[in-house]
Amino acid sequence: MKNGRRQPNVNSVYMDHAATTPLAPEVLEAMLPYLTDHFGNPSSTHHIGRVAKGAIEESRERIAQHLEVKPEHIIFTSGTTEANNLALNVLDVQDHLITSTIEHKSILEPAREIEKYGLFVTSLSPQLKTGAVHSDQIGNSITLGPDLVSLNYVNNETGAINPIAEIGEEYEGYDDDIILHTDAAQAAAWFSLSVVDLHVDMMSLSAHKIYGPKGIGILYVNDKNVEFIPQLFGGGQERGRRGGTENVAGAVGMAAAMDLIAEDRDEYAQDTLVLRTKLQEMLLESLEDQMVVNTPSKAAPHILNIAFPPRDHVPLDGEMLLLNLDLEGICASSGAACASGALEPSHVLLEMGLPEDTARASLRLSLGRYTTLEDVETTAQAIIKVVKRMRGNRQDAG
């Protein structure tokens, strides 16, 4: 394990890194000067403004290096939700969107809006074994007109990995009218984001998923293949592609976060996979006949999604499960953070074939760079204790 691991709150075990990550100390340190001394507007022509403008452009260059693209292809956004909406905004009335039924809501909801205006949308169901889309499904869905394929790199609820590089390579030379976009927010901390290797035309990223600040993200756009259409006008920032005063400290923080996750990424990924596997083994050892594992065998290292089917026709209350775990000091979620507070079962789990009463009693446990073996053991013990108590097995709760 690497040194420097820490919990964001000493009184809790944080197992919700897929929702957001703690701001890394080195990222905060990089941001602070642009929250205090270097407060200028990047559009101002005086020297204070030029310092801010220089910070924006340097950050753009550093982020572009991690993606192996030109800096001018990077557009700063408020996060992945805006970046995903911007990506889908390139569609014209005669175009065709190919996506999946288990995407983040920031893809699914714009897709529904697109359909209202007459655009053709194909929503592919995941392969039940892998929880991901197969490249053949893309080929079978391609039409004669322009096609935009939008798939997440890593599913935010199950950790399932879509074969983005395989799809990109297979269809890159297939037709000039095929554009590939990926939401890589959940992949960034664990996998290389080289656009050269992934063969994508657009990519969405968010800083707060990689130990950076909230409220900042990027959309990579290959303008050789994509005719980008802005949604925000006024001011001409981001080369006229997104109006509004730039978030200087946020951009600096995102660049610092990208630098951070690139350091020893493979080692952290392996360490985290070992911990996630340990967590799964501990839970199965005590609850094997009471739970199902929704995370496929080949998945991103940080997400473990489990669910608890009804027992003797009595379902487990998923909301009470989360509340009881919180009382035990375990911070977890039932799925996408954007849906927190909603009582609806996960659309991802339903699409993977889980019955509704089982999907309502699900847990998404997501680990991070600072997660320790002690955290995993504490989490497993708490889940076992709470589930057995809720099942009425108080004598076995320990």
Side-chain angles (χ1 to χ4, degrees), residues 22-232:
L23 186 66
E26 50 266 64
V27 173
L28 175 60
E29 184 179 1
M31 293 174 63
L32 281 175
Y34 299 93
L35 294 168
T36 54
D37 296 339
H38 305 314
F39 57 85
N41 187 322
S43 297
S44 298
T45 57
H46 49 63
H47 71 280
I48 294 179
R50 292 197 301 273
V51 169
K53 180 68 172 178
I56 285 279
E57 296 310 321
E58 181 189 359
S59 299
R60 195 189 313 274
E61 290 177 5
R62 286 161 58 194
I63 293 170
Q65 288 173 0
H66 290 291
L67 273 58
E68 297 186 357
V69 300
K70 295 179 179 179
E72 56 266 30
H73 292 166
I74 301 295
I75 304 171
F76 283 112
T77 69
S78 62
T80 306
T81 293
E82 182 188 343
N84 285 344
N85 276 260
L86 285 172
L88 267 57
N89 202 46
V90 307
L91 287 161
D92 204 350
V93 68
Q94 76 274 16
D95 295 346
H96 175 210
L97 171 63
I98 302 173
T99 187
S100 82
T101 57
I102 57 171
E103 297 299 307
H104 190 273
K105 291 294 182 70
S106 60
I107 291 292
L108 295 179
E109 293 185 10
R112 281 195 284 268
E113 291 298 314
I114 286 169
E115 285 188 295
K116 293 179 183 178
Y117 292 94
L119 276 78
F120 183 34
V121 177
T122 298
S123 298
L124 303 173
S125 297
Q127 304 286 309
L128 295 183
K129 184 176 181 180
T130 64
V133 170
H134 193 277
S135 61
D136 288 347
Q137 293 176 270
I138 304 297
N140 294 334
S141 303
I142 290 173
T143 64
L144 295 177
D147 295 277
L148 169 62
V149 180
S150 180
L151 296 171
N152 56 30
Y153 192 167
V154 169
N155 186 272
N156 59 301
E157 294 195 32
T158 67
I161 304 171
N162 273 316
I164 298 299
E166 178 184 339
I167 292 170
E169 184 175 16
E170 183 170 352
Y171 298 105
E172 187 175 40
Y174 182 87
D175 192 324
D176 291 339
D177 286 335
I178 297 176
I179 296 171
L180 178 58
H181 163 254
T182 187
D183 172 349
Q186 293 294 340
W190 314 105
F191 303 119
S192 167
L193 297 179
S194 168
V195 167
V196 176
D197 295 335
L198 293 173
H199 306 277
V200 297
D201 301 293
M202 293 189 287
M203 179 188 291
S204 302
L205 292 173
S206 191
H208 78 101
K209 305 294 189 182
I210 54 173
Y211 311 92
K214 299 173 183 65
I216 189 73
I218 64 104
L219 176 67
Y220 155 72
V221 179
N222 180 356
D223 56 14
K224 290 183 179 179
N225 297 341
V226 181
E227 185 178 351
F228 181 78
I229 303 171
Q231 289 179 199
L232 299 177

Side-chain angles (χ1 to χ4, degrees), residues 300-331:
H302 66 305
I303 295 178
L304 175 64
N305 191 302
I306 58 176
F308 301 91
R311 197 171 191 187
D312 298 325
H313 305 291
V314 178
L316 194 70
D317 189 321
E319 186 176 10
M320 288 305 298
L321 175 61
L322 285 173
L323 290 173
N324 276 281
L325 286 175
D326 194 30
L327 292 174
E328 295 289 335
I330 308 299
C331 300

